[in-house]
Amino acid sequence: MKEYPKIILKHGKDEALRRRHQWLFSGAIQQIEGHPEEGSIVEIFSSRNEFLGMGHYNDGSIAVRIFSFEQVIPDTVFWKQKLERALQFREALGLCSSPNTNVYRLVFGEGDEMPGLIIDFYNGTAVIQCHSYGMYLLRDNITAALKELYGYKLQSVFIKSKETLPTKFGDLVQDEYLYGGTSENLVSENSCKFFVDWEQGQKTGFFIDQRENRKLLMQYCHEKKVLNTFSYTGGFSVYALKAGASLVHSVDSSAKAIALTEQNIAINGYADKKHESFKSDVVEFMKHTEETYDVIILDPPAYAKHIKTKHKAMQGYKRLNEMAIRKINRSGFIFTFSCSQVVESSLFRSTVIAAAIQSERNVRIIAQLSQPADHPVSAFHPEGEYLKGLVLFVE
Ligand code: SAH
């Protein structure tokens, strides 16, 4: 068996790993034997020399992302089996053979016991996004495994990790096709069509995590005036129009996002008077628009990317929600979200409640939303939970 650099923990620092938590923090390390480089595979042992796990080494606060709590040979077969399990889970969820949906998340990092790895499947194209250099180094193994698993259903594999890996890897990584080339980038989600720009778009190109929430929105949009803020590709707007909304306004500050929104509205056949998009800051738009709305969607980018910015972020969420609550018509519905991982759902909820109190309107919380099942949260890694939302009914 190959010898890997060995990490020995301080006495008493093995508890989290025994609970199968997949991050080893640098503060728990007593000693490193060997000279692991960024992305090297290492083995972790307790202070009493008991094997605890193996993973990818990283020169940072999360020193190791653990991909196995057993001593394994991490070869192509090992990774193929992991991907196979991820695929079988999505099959069990009914996502792989649906006539209406051909886009889903195949791998969600720790939720699939592959920390540092995201893979989204877009109607034949797998888009890989790495959050650890160790995973990036495995890109060819992963591509080979995907080809075997999907067979003819896989037309191309694109890796897009420049923006997600620490900047020090900037010159070492490239966003490129690892298999195939530009392929069909039209996907279908609950029978709604979307162009996905995985090469240039945000994240892997599309926010798959809102699939179930977009579907729920449809229940509330028939003959309603809808404001979709932070629209990006226009996901919520397309669903609202499909549900028979009488008017939909999409707002995003990025010209590219507005272009994507309009393209997606058009390919679904809704490019008529019912839809209009606005390139604007959301707060400015809400301040100045004279239109009134029955349904408002608030899906801002992560206001708090780090614990240090959490306090300021909460003020941002409060202000945004208060504005929408004040603005919405009587008997209106607000779909409000936060995708900041560091903002717990209870804190988000109390912030929205604070906004409701300030607005002096009667507000009911009628649903609590989260991320869909193809973004699973490992019971041993609760940090995987990041998307939370509330549906409000405002009188
Ligand atoms: N709701 C979308 C995802 C939103 S991503 C979906 O379902 O796909 C966040 C979007 O907010 C991005 O497109 C970004 O361009 C936009 N954005 C960020 N800050 C903004 C601001 N202050 N005003 C308007 N749009 C903003």
Side-chain angles (χ1 to χ4, degrees):
M1 221 167 156
K2 192 172 175 229
E3 287 265 326
Y4 294 105
K6 194 169 170 179
I7 291 193
I8 298 153
L9 301 191
K10 289 176 185 161
H11 179 70
K13 290 288 185 185
D14 52 349
E15 207 181 296
L17 267 65
R18 291 192 194 277
R19 275 189 276 117
R20 299 178 80 86
H21 191 269
Q22 297 166 68
W23 291 347
L24 173 67
F25 290 99
S26 57
I29 298 175
Q30 175 72 44
Q31 193 189 330
I32 299 179
E33 289 177 7
H35 300 280
E37 291 171 9
E38 291 271 359
S40 295
I41 290 172
V42 293
E43 291 188 323
I44 307 166
F45 290 83
S46 72
S47 58
R48 284 179 293 178
N49 206 30
E50 298 150 307
F51 174 85
L52 293 172
M54 56 202 298
H56 288 128
Y57 182 72
N58 171 49
D59 194 10
S61 139
I62 302 174
V64 185
R65 286 182 170 81
I66 298 160
F67 55 69
S68 178
F69 292 96
E70 281 88 46
Q71 234 160 348
V72 292
I73 302 168
D75 55 8
T76 311
V77 174
F78 170 80
W79 290 104
K80 190 185 151 204
Q81 281 170 351
K82 273 200 182 272
L83 291 168
E84 195 164 23
R85 272 179 68 211
L87 183 58
Q88 280 167 355
F89 174 51
R90 275 67 185 178
E91 276 166 356
L93 295 172
L95 286 169
C96 306
S97 52
S98 159
N100 309 323
T101 300
N102 54 28
V103 36
Y104 56 87
R105 179 153 287 190
L106 172 67
V107 175
F108 180 54
E110 290 81 3
D112 285 291
E113 288 146 39
M114 287 179 258
L117 182 67
I118 298 288
I119 305 179
D120 286 340
F121 187 81
Y122 291 116
N123 189 22
T125 296
V127 180
I128 302 175
Q129 194 151 64
C130 299
H131 291 259
S132 78
Y133 192 57
M135 281 297 180
Y136 184 77
L137 294 174
L138 285 171
R139 63 197 180 282
D140 291 332
N141 295 40
I142 293 168
T143 302
L146 289 172
K147 279 160 77 174
E148 267 188 60
L149 286 176
Y150 279 108
Y152 72 93
K153 286 186 179 165
L154 187 75
Q155 283 125 36
S156 50
V157 176
F158 186 70
I159 188 158
K160 191 183 184 203
S161 300
K162 239 182 169 26
E163 66 178 34
T164 48
L165 285 174
T167 42
K168 63 183 170 190
F169 298 113
D171 296 337
L172 298 172
V173 301
Q174 223 165 330
D175 293 348
E176 60 186 337
Y177 284 94
L178 299 172
Y179 171 60
T182 319
S183 60
E184 185 72 44
N185 62 354
L186 188 63
V187 304
S188 183
E189 185 192 81
N190 291 317
S191 301
C192 298
K193 294 184 179 60
F194 294 98
F195 271 113
V196 179
D197 184 358
W198 47 78
E199 291 182 25
Q200 306 294 332
Q202 297 177 35
K203 304 279 170 81
T204 66
F206 190 66
F207 286 81
I208 301 174
D209 55 2
Q210 290 286 21
R211 181 183 59 241
E212 306 301 329
N213 302 327
R214 290 185 190 121
K215 199 170 170 187
L216 181 70
L217 176 81
M218 292 181 76
Q219 287 184 21
Y220 302 96
C221 291
H222 188 65
E223 292 177 358
K224 295 288 166 65
K225 294 195 283 182
V226 179
L227 172 63
N228 179 19
T229 67
F230 309 95
S231 64
Y232 186 35
T233 55
F236 285 101
S237 303
V238 169
Y239 278 67
L241 288 161
K242 190 177 162 77
S246 57
L247 172 147
V248 177
H249 284 171
S250 305
V251 181
D252 199 291
S253 56
S254 140
K256 231 174 179 173
I258 291 297
L260 280 169
T261 292
E262 294 196 337
Q263 190 179 22
N264 287 326
I265 297 289
I267 55 169
N268 285 281
Y270 302 123
D272 56 18
K273 292 190 295 296
K274 284 188 186 165
H275 180 263
E276 210 177 322
S277 42
F278 301 86
K279 183 189 165 302
S280 166
D281 171 73
V282 164
V283 171
E284 286 303 310
F285 181 86
M286 284 210 277
K287 246 191 233 163
H288 297 114
T289 178
E290 281 167 17
E291 189 56 76
T292 60
Y293 301 98
D294 308 303
V295 179
I296 300 179
I297 299 111
L298 305 172
D299 186 23
Y303 280 175
K305 290 224 163 63
H306 199 271
I307 198 91
K308 283 187 205 139
T309 51
K310 191 163 159 180
H311 181 67
K312 192 148 172 273
M314 297 328 293
Q315 292 172 326
Y317 286 119
K318 186 171 165 222
R319 186 167 64 136
L320 183 68
N321 280 276
E322 187 185 332
M323 253 187 138
I325 296 169
R326 282 185 190 276
K327 174 131 198 74
I328 199 158
N329 289 341
R330 269 165 174 259
S331 304
F333 293 95
I334 298 177
F335 277 61
T336 178
F337 298 96
S338 163
C339 60
S340 296
Q341 191 270 330
V342 295
V343 176
E344 310 82 357
S345 59
S346 58
L347 176 62
F348 179 62
R349 196 184 149 96
S350 52
T351 304
V352 172
I353 291 172
I357 293 168
Q358 208 90 41
S359 73
E360 297 180 358
R361 294 190 65 177
N362 195 33
V363 179
R364 292 174 202 177
I365 297 173
I366 59 166
Q368 315 219 23
L369 310 176
S370 65
Q371 62 214 54
D374 52 345
H375 295 58
V377 181
S378 160
F380 313 115
H381 188 86
E383 294 92 334
E385 194 175 326
Y386 70 101
L387 181 64
K388 55 245 142 223
L390 298 169
V391 184
L392 311 177
F393 179 68
V394 184
E395 289 172 303

